[in-house]
Amino acid sequence: MKCNQVTIILFFTLFFFKANAQEFKLGKVSIEELQQKVYSKDTAAVAAILFKKGETSCEYSNGIGFTVVTKVAVRIKIYKKEGYNWANQQVNFVKVNSIKETVDFTDAVTYNLVEGKIEKTKLKGEGEFAENNDKSVSTKKITMPNVKVGSVIEFQYIIKSPNVGSLKDFYFQSNIPVNYVEYTTYIPEYFTFSNHFKGFITPKIISDKKNKEIVMVEKEVLVGQGTKFTENKIFYQETRTNYVAENLPALKEEAYVNNVDNYAASLSQELSMTKFPNQPLKKLSTDWDAVVKTIYEYEQFGPELNKTGYFEDDVKNIIADLNTPDEKIEALLNYVKSTVKWNEYYGYGCRDGVKKAYKEKIGNIAEVNLMLTAMLRYAGLTANPVLVSTRSNGIAIFPNRAAFNYVIAAVETNNGLILLDASDKFSTPNVLPFRVLNWQGRLIRKDGTSQEVDLMPKIVSGNTVMMNYSVDVNGKVAGRLRRQRTDHNAMMFRKSTDNIKEETYLEKLENENEKIEIKEYSRTNEKELKLPVTETFSFTGMNLCDGIGGKIYINPMLFFTEEKNPFKQENREYPVDYGFPFLDKYSINIQIPDGYKVETLPAPMVLNMQDNLGSFKFVTNLSGNTIQLAITHQINTPIISSEYYSMLKEYYQGMVSKENEKIVLTKNL
C-alpha cells in the first residue's frame, strides 16, 4: 500500500510540473500565457520575448557543397499598445555575386483569448513581402494579423546561405525582456569558427560531438554504356554547441548612447580555418592585417582604387596653381563633393565602379571616397582609404570582414592624419559626418599594412551665445541674441537647416522656445564651411518670467536652461558617447525694470570633473540695474567610460540645479 501511495504521489508531482512547465515549442501557446497582464520581472514592459530558439547547421548537397541553414523560432507576448510594433518583423539577406541567400517565414500565427478559448489567426500572403534595399541586400518582412493587447505571436524564419565564411549574428538580448533564449550550432569538423561575444551577459555553453556522414554521388558517363552513378560515404565529426540564457533584462535606451545594440548580449562567428580531407589546413582572417589584406584584394576595392585614367585631366587642371598640401586637399575634397553625389548606399566595395560613378555623377560610399583617395594620391599626397563601421552598424571590435560598412579617405601629414568624407556637402577636413564618429577605423596602405585610426574628434566644437534682454514690470522679456557654432556643431546645424524655408525654421524655433516671437533674423557663413555659422535675431516673450506676489522670478538662461538631468539610471553599463568634445558658452546681460531691485541672485559655482573630463562655471555680477552672467559647460572628451557615471550624474545634477535657480526681483520701497 505504501509503495502504491508513493507511486501515485510521484505520478501527480511529475504531471503537475509537466503541465505547468512552459513549452518552448511553436504551436504550444497556453491559456496562462494569454491571460498574463504584465511581465512579472519587468511590469513596465510593452512586450516580452517568451522564448527564442535558433539553430545553425551546415547541410551538404551534391553538386553544391555546404549550405548554412539558420532557423529561428520566436514567441512574443504583447502587453501594451506600444508593443504593437513587435507584430512587424523583418530579416535582411544578401543577394550579390555568388552569394544568393533566401529567407522564408513559416508558422506565423497570432493567438488571442476569446471567451475563454484560444483563437488562432494565421499569416496570409498579403502580410508577407520583400524589399530591395540596394543591389546586394534585401529584406523579407511580415506583419502579423489581428494583434491586440494580450496577443501572443509566433513565427519562424529560415535563412539559407551559401556563405559558410560568416554565420549570422545571433542576439540573445533585445530592447524588451527575454524570458528564455537558446541557440545551437552544428559545425562539421572541416570548419573552425572564431566566436566573439558582446554585451554584459554570457550564456551557459554546452558542447559535444557526434559522428555524421555525407553521401557523395559521382556521375560517370561511359561510352556505349550510358551513365554510371557511384556513391561514396565520407564520415566526419560534427560539433554541437548549445548556448542558453534566461531572464535577460530589456536593453534600456539612455542619454548619449552610441548604438544600444553594441551592448546587447550577442554572438558573432567568423570562419577562421578550414581543413578538408586530403587538403592542407587553410587559415583565414584571424587578425586585422589578414582582414584588411583580404578587403584590399577584393576586386571592388583595391583595383577600383588604382584606377586614375578617368579623372587625370580634370585633376591636373584643379591643382595646377596650388602649392601646399592643404590647398590640394581642400580643392579635391570640394571637387568630389560638388561633382559626385552619394546615393546613400553603404559598403566598402564599389557597386558600379568608380569610372561609371564619375561619369554619371553618382555613386555609393566606396565609389565616392575611393575616388577621392585616388585623386589625392595622383596629386602627390600620401592618401589611403580608411575602413569604418558606422554608428548604426555597431563598433568594429573583432577582426572580421563584415565589421565594416563604410570607407573614408585619409591623408598622412607631418601633423598627423587628415580624415575626409566627400559624401556630405557640409564636411570639411577632420570634420566628418556624425554617422562616421564611431570609435576606431582601419587605414589600409598600398603595401598591405594597416593601422588603427581614431575616428573621434579632438577639436572642441563651439556653441557661443551672447544674449542681452530686458524685463518689464509685467514680466515681458525683450532682447537680442547672437549664436555662433563651430566645427561639428556648425556642420550639424547646416545639415538640419538645409533646404528648410526660413519661415518654417523660425516657426519651429519659436515653438521650441516658449512661444517667443522672433524678428530681424539673419544668418551668416551658411555656405562658408571653414567659418563659424552665426544666427542673430531679436525676440520677445510673455512666458519667460513669473510674477508672483509683486515679485518677478527670472530664469536667467531663459530657453537655454537645461531643465532635467539626462542621466536618470542609478547605474549604467554603457559608456557616455557625445560624439565630439564641445564647449557651450553663454554671455548674458539682463536689464531689470525701473523701480525694482535684486532680492536674490544665484551664487557663483564651479564644478570640475575628475581627470579633466569637463567643467561647469556659473559667474554672476550686479552692476546698477544690469545683471551679468558668464556660464560655460565644457566636455573635453567625446566618450566617457561608464566607471565615471556616478560622478558624471552628480556633475549634471549640480549643473541643472544651478541653471534652474531663479533671480528674484522685488519693488523698491
Side-chain angles (χ1 to χ4, degrees), residues 63-83:
I64 296 175
F66 283 103
T67 297
V68 178
V69 179
T70 299
K71 300 178 182 179
V72 180
V74 185
R75 179 183 296 166
I76 299 172
K77 170 73 178 184
I78 308 297
Y79 295 107
K80 301 178 182 180
K81 289 182 179 180
E82 293 81 1

Side-chain angles (χ1 to χ4, degrees), residues 33-48:
E33 288 171 326
L34 288 166
Q35 288 175 333
Q36 284 180 8
K37 301 299 181 184
V38 296
Y39 186 67
S40 60
K41 300 177 183 68
D42 182 357
T43 56
V46 299

Side-chain angles (χ1 to χ4, degrees), residues 368-571:
V368 171
N369 283 328
L370 290 181
M371 181 188 303
L372 173 61
T373 306
M375 289 181 180
L376 293 164
R377 286 181 175 179
Y378 186 76
L381 301 168
T382 306
N384 293 292
V386 177
L387 296 167
V388 172
S389 175
T390 59
R391 285 175 167 257
S392 62
N393 193 56
I395 300 170
I397 300 175
F398 309 111
N400 69 88
R401 295 180 299 278
F404 304 109
N405 70 327
Y406 201 93
V407 61
I408 61 174
V411 179
E412 298 183 49
T413 72
N414 294 332
N415 297 320
L417 286 177
I418 297 176
L419 303 179
L420 307 165
D421 188 343
S423 69
D424 193 308
K425 67 181 181 180
F426 299 115
S427 72
T428 56
N430 281 332
V431 179
L432 302 172
F434 195 74
R435 60 180 172 270
V436 181
L437 308 181
N438 193 31
W439 293 65
Q440 308 287 340
R442 201 85 195 172
L443 181 146
I444 313 178
R445 296 188 180 90
K446 289 181 180 180
D447 60 5
T449 62
S450 69
Q451 76 174 62
E452 197 171 65
V453 173
D454 188 356
L455 298 171
M456 306 309 287
K458 307 296 184 295
I459 300 172
V460 174
S461 293
N463 172 41
T464 302
V465 176
M466 297 181 67
M467 183 165 61
N468 300 319
Y469 66 88
S470 62
V471 181
D472 70 12
V473 294
N474 298 313
K476 178 181 178 181
V477 171
R480 189 157 181 82
L481 182 151
R482 182 176 184 268
R483 186 174 189 178
Q484 187 179 81
R485 298 174 174 90
T486 65
D487 297 295
H488 281 91
N489 278 330
M491 181 187 191
M492 294 171 71
F493 174 76
R494 289 181 173 113
K495 196 172 184 67
S496 68
T497 56
D498 188 35
N499 296 323
I500 302 294
K501 291 182 179 179
E502 184 176 295
E503 181 183 351
T504 303
Y505 170 73
L506 292 181
E507 183 180 359
K508 183 173 182 287
L509 190 62
E510 289 174 335
N511 290 332
E512 290 176 346
N513 292 288
E514 303 293 343
K515 304 291 185 180
I516 61 174
E517 183 179 344
I518 293 175
K519 293 182 179 180
E520 300 173 325
Y521 180 84
S522 67
R523 191 184 300 168
T524 58
N525 300 329
E526 193 173 6
K527 306 298 182 184
E528 298 296 326
L529 303 186
K530 295 180 70 175
L531 298 175
V533 62
T534 303
E535 290 182 287
T536 305
F537 58 85
S538 299
F539 65 93
T540 56
M542 294 299 299
N543 303 314
L544 301 174
C545 296
D546 296 316
I548 303 173
K551 297 181 180 182
I552 301 175
Y553 295 81
I554 307 169
N555 195 326
M557 295 183 68
L558 301 181
F559 34 78
F560 290 110
T561 304
E562 186 90 39
E563 294 182 349
K564 296 180 180 179
N565 188 342
F567 302 109
K568 299 177 175 61
Q569 303 293 332
E570 191 66 30
N571 300 297

Side-chain angles (χ1 to χ4, degrees), residues 230-372:
T230 305
E231 288 189 356
N232 292 317
K233 289 186 177 181
I234 297 178
F235 298 93
Y236 66 95
Q237 277 199 326
E238 179 183 76
T239 300
R240 182 188 74 92
T241 307
N242 180 251
Y243 309 85
V244 175
E246 297 183 71
N247 302 323
L248 284 78
L251 289 164
K252 301 292 186 181
E253 287 287 352
E254 298 181 33
Y256 302 109
V257 174
N258 176 328
N259 176 353
V260 73
D261 285 343
N262 287 328
Y263 312 105
S266 61
L267 171 64
S268 298
Q269 298 174 287
E270 185 176 40
L271 188 63
S272 60
M273 188 167 59
T274 60
K275 179 63 175 75
F276 293 104
N278 305 317
Q279 292 185 25
L281 182 147
K282 183 179 180 181
K283 291 187 176 181
L284 301 171
S285 301
T286 54
D287 57 31
W288 284 120
D289 286 335
V291 168
V292 298
K293 184 176 185 295
T294 302
I295 291 174
Y296 197 87
E297 293 172 353
Y298 175 44
E299 62 179 352
Q300 300 301 328
F301 191 91
E304 291 291 325
L305 177 60
N306 294 328
K307 295 176 182 178
T308 62
Y310 63 96
F311 64 66
E312 288 181 4
D313 290 341
D314 293 330
V315 171
K316 284 177 184 176
N317 292 331
I318 293 167
I319 65 173
D321 299 323
L322 305 179
N323 299 312
T324 68
D326 287 345
E327 288 176 334
K328 293 178 182 179
I329 290 169
E330 186 175 349
L332 291 173
L333 174 63
N334 290 335
Y335 176 67
V336 177
K337 285 197 300 180
S338 62
T339 304
V340 184
K341 182 182 178 182
W342 178 42
N343 59 17
E344 300 192 8
Y345 287 166
Y346 290 71
Y348 55 71
C350 297
R351 301 289 167 79
D352 298 317
V354 288
K355 290 175 68 175
K356 186 174 182 181
Y358 190 68
K359 180 181 178 182
E360 298 187 355
K361 302 184 184 302
I362 189 169
N364 75 346
I365 195 63
E367 288 153 353
V368 171
N369 283 328
L370 290 181
M371 181 188 303
L372 173 61

